């Protein structure tokens, strides 16, 4: 089975391979198996097969809106046996629309989605809805992988019933919480949201099959949402601004408290009970008192000594004395003469 080697480059690193090309289509390879294709049991396949005789595992489906649940199912099918070759059959649009319903992706898109899954070695286009012995023989299929839930369709309770009876069925596990139907349900449920989204991205109302009234309603709602978003942005920015102001105010208050403590401490050092200002004031006040108070006169003069016999100089009071006016001119002249005699005696 050297077909995949012709269309991909395999780089071995710790048992892993890196593929650089998509998986081929079955009608391009013509199933050119090099080794004889004898029938295998599941036990033999699990023990391992020669390198040139991989176990050919087949998995089929619609694979619409290819998702992780599809990929995990294919991963399980690929890793069922040590040496396996995974063929994936994809049903056409005609069969799918007839037995299951309308698809979102057309058959060409679904084929390409499978070709680019890393676990797929070969893609079979226009796969049958029910597997026939001729189809199994044509593609030399050893086992069919699918989940074990009975799949009722095309008038059958289980389209894999005859495969299970032949011992060729290998079950895989479904991935809960994800399926094509779930994805479509989300889109239908939120139809207005996605319609508005695509209108906003440039799709026309005709392309979306939206009426004129709904188009206007969706566009108006988009404008309202834009306005709400702007208001929300303004609120967030205002909150950020308020937070910054609060942080700065806290810093300013803290710095103010530190400066106020420093100012009070300096004030107390200057004007406190034992402050430098008090000492300075006392020094200056003492100097001013010394400058304002008169000096005492010396007891004795160095150049002139007072005679002991001489009486001290009379002291005169500068205050005016109350004297009665002379009663007559004679009395006035007598008083003047007595004052002059007193002066001469003092001399």
């Amino acid at each position: 089975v050297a077909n995949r080697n012709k269309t991909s480059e395999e780089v071995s690193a710790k048992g892993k391979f890196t593929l650089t090309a998509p998986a081929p289509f079955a009608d391009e390879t013509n199933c050119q198996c090099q080794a004889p294709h004898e029938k295998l049991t599941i036990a033999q396949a699990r023990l391992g097969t020669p390198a040139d005789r991989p176990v050919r595992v087949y998995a089929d489906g619609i694979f619409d809106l290819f998702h992780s649940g599809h990929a995990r199912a294919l991963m399980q099918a690929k890793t069922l046996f040590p040496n396996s070759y995974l063929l994936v059959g994809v049903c056409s649009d005609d069969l799918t629309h007839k037995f299951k319903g309308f698809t979102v992706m057309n058959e060409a898109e679904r084929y390409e989605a499978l070709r680019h899954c890393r676990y797929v070695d070969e893609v079979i286009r226009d796969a049958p809805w029910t597997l026939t012995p001729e189809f199994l023989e044509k593609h030399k299929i050893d086992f069919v992988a699918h989940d074990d839930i009975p799949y009722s369709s095309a008038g059958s309770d289980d389209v894999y019933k005859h495969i299970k009876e032949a011992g060729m069925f290998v079950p895989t596990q479904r991935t809960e919480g994800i399926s094509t139907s779930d994805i479509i349900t989300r889109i239908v449920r939120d139809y207005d949201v996605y319609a508005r989204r695509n209108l906003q991205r440039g799709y026309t109302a005709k392309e979306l099959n939206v009426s004129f009234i709904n188009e206007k309603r969706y566009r108006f709602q988009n404008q309202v949402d834009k306005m709400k978003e702007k208001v929300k942005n303004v609120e967030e920015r205002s909150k950020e601004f308020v937070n910054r102001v609060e942080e700065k105010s806290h810093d300013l208050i803290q710095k103010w408290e530190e400066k106020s403590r420093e100012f009070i401490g300096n004030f107390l050092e200057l004007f406190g009970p034992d402050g430098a200002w008090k000492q300075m004031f006392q020094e200056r006040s003492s100097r001013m008192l010394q400058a304002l108070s008169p000096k005492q006169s010396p007891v004795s003069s160095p150049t002139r000594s007072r005679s002991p016999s001489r009486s001290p100089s009379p002291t005169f009071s500068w205050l005016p004395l109350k004297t009665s006016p002379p009663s007559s001119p004679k009395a006035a002249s007598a008083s003047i003469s007595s004052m002059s005699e007193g002066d001469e005696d003092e001399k």
Side-chain angles (χ1 to χ4, degrees), residues 4-5 7-11 16-23 78 115-121:
R4 190 68 183 273
N5 296 333
T7 58
S8 63
E9 179 184 356
E10 298 180 352
V11 180
K16 296 183 178 180
F17 298 94
T18 301
L19 305 177
T20 59
K78 176 67 176 177
R115 290 187 69 196
H116 293 83
C117 178
R118 63 182 297 181
Y119 309 112
V120 178
D121 295 302

Side-chain angles (χ1 to χ4, degrees), residues 5 46 60 62 95 103 139 177 197 248 261 280 300 318:
N5 296 333
R46 285 177 176 167
D60 60 357
I62 309 302
L95 278 177
T103 58
H139 295 281
R197 169 184 177 270
K248 289 184 178 180
R261 292 192 189 98
M280 188 190 311
S300 59
W318 293 100

